[in-house]
């Protein structure tokens, strides 16, 4: 009965795809989506010290410090003595717990007074703290990053964004303190508020279009699973949903809109959700190739899924340091585990499997 209901449905889909008008609309929609995606990417090259969209020149020096008790005044004294080195956005800085990277930012004081936004475009950053020297000689600070709830940031955003004055009212001395759990590069940008807002709106528009398509696929998968009485569509819908939430977590969108009040989960989700997305994708592949040709392959799939659940529990219990190791090992193992059976399925059973590969 399932086969009799599936064939007319597949035939209708193929008949619709043969329609030139429908294919033209599909290609036009895809071209528009790609164009909007390209337009949302700012004209900024890594390592460039000029934000062309705002015309703000900037320079900076860097000090790597292992003492957590160091004050901004003491760090500034070290910069004045010449201990800093030029900041390179392509350099891999040795972040780890207890290590801070300090940047002495040369905020431009020429031009008209206005509001600017200092951003560190890395959504998983633990801490970005901007120290400003006031006119009376005291230091004040603004903070963002995963150690603070996003809804407590001065500018809630996908990644750390901190306000700073430009022009004659700019702070004479500004220090940016950065902390993270593992080594990463750390580019930073300084934009006018108008340029920052315009870029953010373009990015949100593109991400919103993408997520709309994703949730449409999820709804269609659920409907097809009910109409065709085939669990494959539901497994596919769940897999796509988990991957979409994972992408939202990695680019900071989930932290801004889904769980802005939970800094712990905002930091942990970037490790837990990618592992769960691999688990759901592996379950989808196992459902696609059923019946599994060898019993040992079925047992291997089951072991791989169980390991994924175990790694998630371990990350939740032991935190990010061990989670980074376990998740990366799981991702490497997932490549042959997922692609190998799909290639076999495409060669031996159905050429449509190459679309999944």
């Amino acid at each position: 009965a399932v086969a009799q209901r599936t064939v007319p449905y597949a035939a209708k889909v193929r008949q619709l795809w043969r329609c030139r008008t429908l294919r033209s609309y599909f290609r036009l929609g895809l071209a528009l989506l790609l164009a909007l995606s390209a337009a949302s990417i700012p004209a900024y090259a890594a390592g460039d010290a000029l934000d062309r969209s705002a015309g703000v020149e900037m320079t900076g020096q860097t000090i790597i410090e292992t003492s957590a008790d160091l004050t901004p005044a003491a760090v500034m004294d070290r910069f004045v003595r010449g201990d800093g080195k030029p900041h390179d956005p392509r350099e891999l800085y040795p972040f780890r717990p207890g290590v801070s990277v300090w940047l002495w930012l040369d905020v431009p004081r020429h031009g008209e007074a206005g509001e600017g936004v200092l951003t560190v475009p890395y959504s998983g950053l633990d801490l970005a703290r901007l120290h400003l020297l006031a006119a009376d000689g005291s230091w004040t600070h603004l903070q963002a990053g995963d150690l603070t709830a996003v809804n407590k940031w001065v500018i809630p955003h996908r990644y750390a964004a901190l306000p700073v004055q430009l022009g004659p009212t700019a702070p004479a001395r500004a220090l940016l303190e950065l902390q993270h759990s593992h080594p990463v590069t750390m580019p930073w940008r300084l934009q006018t508020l108008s340029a920052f807002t315009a870029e953010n709106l373009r990015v949100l528009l593109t991400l919103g279009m993408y997520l709309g398509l994703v949730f449409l696929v999820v709804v269609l998968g659920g409907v097809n699973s009910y109409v065709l009485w085939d669990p494959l569509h539901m497994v596919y819908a769940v897999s796509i949903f988990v991957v979409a939430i994972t992408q939202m977590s990695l680019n900071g969108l989930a932290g801004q809109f889904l769980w802005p009040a939970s800094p712990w989960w905002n930091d942990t989700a970037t490790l837990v959700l990618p592992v769960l997305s691999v688990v759901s994708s592996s379950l989808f592949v196992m459902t696609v190739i059923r019946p599994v040709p060898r019993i040992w392959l079925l047992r291997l799939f089951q072991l791989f899924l169980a390991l994924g659940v175990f790694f998630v529990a371990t990350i939740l219990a032991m935190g990010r340091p061990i989670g980074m190791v376990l998740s990366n090992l799981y991702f490497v193992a997932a490549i042959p585990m997922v692609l190998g059976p799909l290639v076999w399925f495409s060669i031996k059973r159905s050429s449509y499997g190459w679309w999944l590969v």
Side-chain angles (χ1 to χ4, degrees):
V2 172
Q4 291 175 355
R5 297 178 64 178
T6 303
V7 172
Y9 178 84
K12 289 181 179 179
V13 171
R14 287 193 295 268
Q15 184 178 2
L16 286 174
W17 183 247
R18 291 192 186 101
C19 177
R20 292 186 177 181
T21 304
L22 181 63
R23 292 203 305 269
S24 299
Y25 280 123
F26 176 79
R27 290 165 182 165
L28 178 61
L30 183 60
L32 289 175
L33 180 61
L34 293 176
L36 287 173
S37 301
S40 68
I41 301 175
Y44 173 78
D48 197 353
L50 177 65
D51 183 346
R52 295 181 174 83
S53 64
V56 177
E57 297 180 358
M58 51 196 167
T59 58
Q61 297 183 42
T62 305
I63 284 180
I64 300 175
E65 181 57 51
T66 58
S67 175
D69 299 329
L70 205 61
T71 64
V75 174
M76 181 55 68
D77 290 339
R78 291 188 55 185
F79 276 119
V80 173
R81 291 198 307 263
D83 292 345
K85 64 177 183 178
H87 172 64
D88 185 357
R90 294 163 296 186
E91 181 176 350
L92 189 68
Y93 288 98
F95 286 102
R96 65 179 184 275
V99 173
S100 296
V101 173
W102 293 78
L103 300 178
W104 180 10
L105 309 179
D106 184 11
V107 183
R109 299 173 61 83
H110 58 78
E112 298 182 357
E115 295 185 16
V117 179
L118 174 69
T119 60
V120 184
Y122 183 75
S123 60
L125 183 65
D126 285 347
L127 174 69
R129 183 181 291 142
L130 180 63
H131 301 270
L132 303 174
L133 181 62
D136 60 359
S138 62
W139 288 90
T140 60
H141 73 268
L142 303 170
Q143 182 171 314
D146 284 351
L147 295 181
T148 306
V150 177
N151 58 6
K152 299 295 180 61
W153 297 5
V154 181
I155 304 177
H157 192 56
R158 302 187 314 278
Y159 44 79
L162 300 165
V164 62
Q165 293 296 317
L166 303 176
T169 59
R173 292 182 175 180
L175 293 175
L176 179 62
E177 180 185 2
L178 302 172
Q179 294 180 10
H180 198 47
S181 59
H182 58 275
V184 290
T185 59
M186 199 54 62
W188 60 276
R189 301 179 61 193
L190 188 59
Q191 296 175 281
T192 61
L193 181 59
S194 59
F196 170 80
T197 303
E199 176 187 322
N200 185 45
L201 290 176
R202 291 196 300 269
V203 173
L204 289 179
L205 173 63
T206 304
L207 293 176
M209 294 173 58
Y210 167 72
L211 291 175
L213 292 174
V214 166
F215 287 109
L216 175 61
V217 171
V218 171
V219 172
L220 290 176
V223 172
N224 288 339
S225 179
Y226 175 77
V227 172
L228 302 177
W229 293 90
D230 188 349
L232 175 62
H233 296 279
M234 182 56 69
V235 174
Y236 177 68
V238 171
S239 175
I240 292 297
F241 178 79
V242 175
V243 170
I245 297 297
T246 300
Q247 292 173 334
M248 291 178 64
S249 175
L250 293 176
N251 63 33
L253 199 64
Q256 184 179 0
F257 293 106
L258 297 185
W259 41 78
S262 178
W264 173 82
W265 177 244
N266 192 32
D267 184 54
T268 308
T270 55
L271 289 178
V272 171
L273 291 178
V275 175
L276 288 179
S277 67
V278 173
V279 171
S280 62
S281 299
S282 302
L283 181 61
F284 170 67
V285 170
M286 187 174 67
T287 308
V288 168
I289 67 173
R290 62 175 184 175
V292 180
R294 296 289 186 272
I295 187 62
W296 63 265
L297 182 58
L298 176 61
R299 297 290 181 261
L300 186 61
F301 261 116
Q302 293 171 343
L303 175 62
F304 187 72
L305 297 176
L307 278 177
V309 176
F310 173 74
F311 285 171
V312 167
T314 303
I315 294 171
L316 292 175
M318 303 185 65
R320 175 174 284 272
I322 187 65
M324 286 292 298
V325 177
L326 294 179
S327 59
N328 285 323
L329 290 175
Y330 197 67
F331 299 152
V332 171
I335 297 175
M337 192 68 211
V338 172
L339 290 182
L342 279 180
V343 171
W344 172 87
F345 177 83
S346 303
I347 296 174
K348 297 294 185 179
R349 290 187 181 173
S350 174
S351 60
Y352 289 103
W354 292 111
W355 289 98
L356 298 177
V357 175

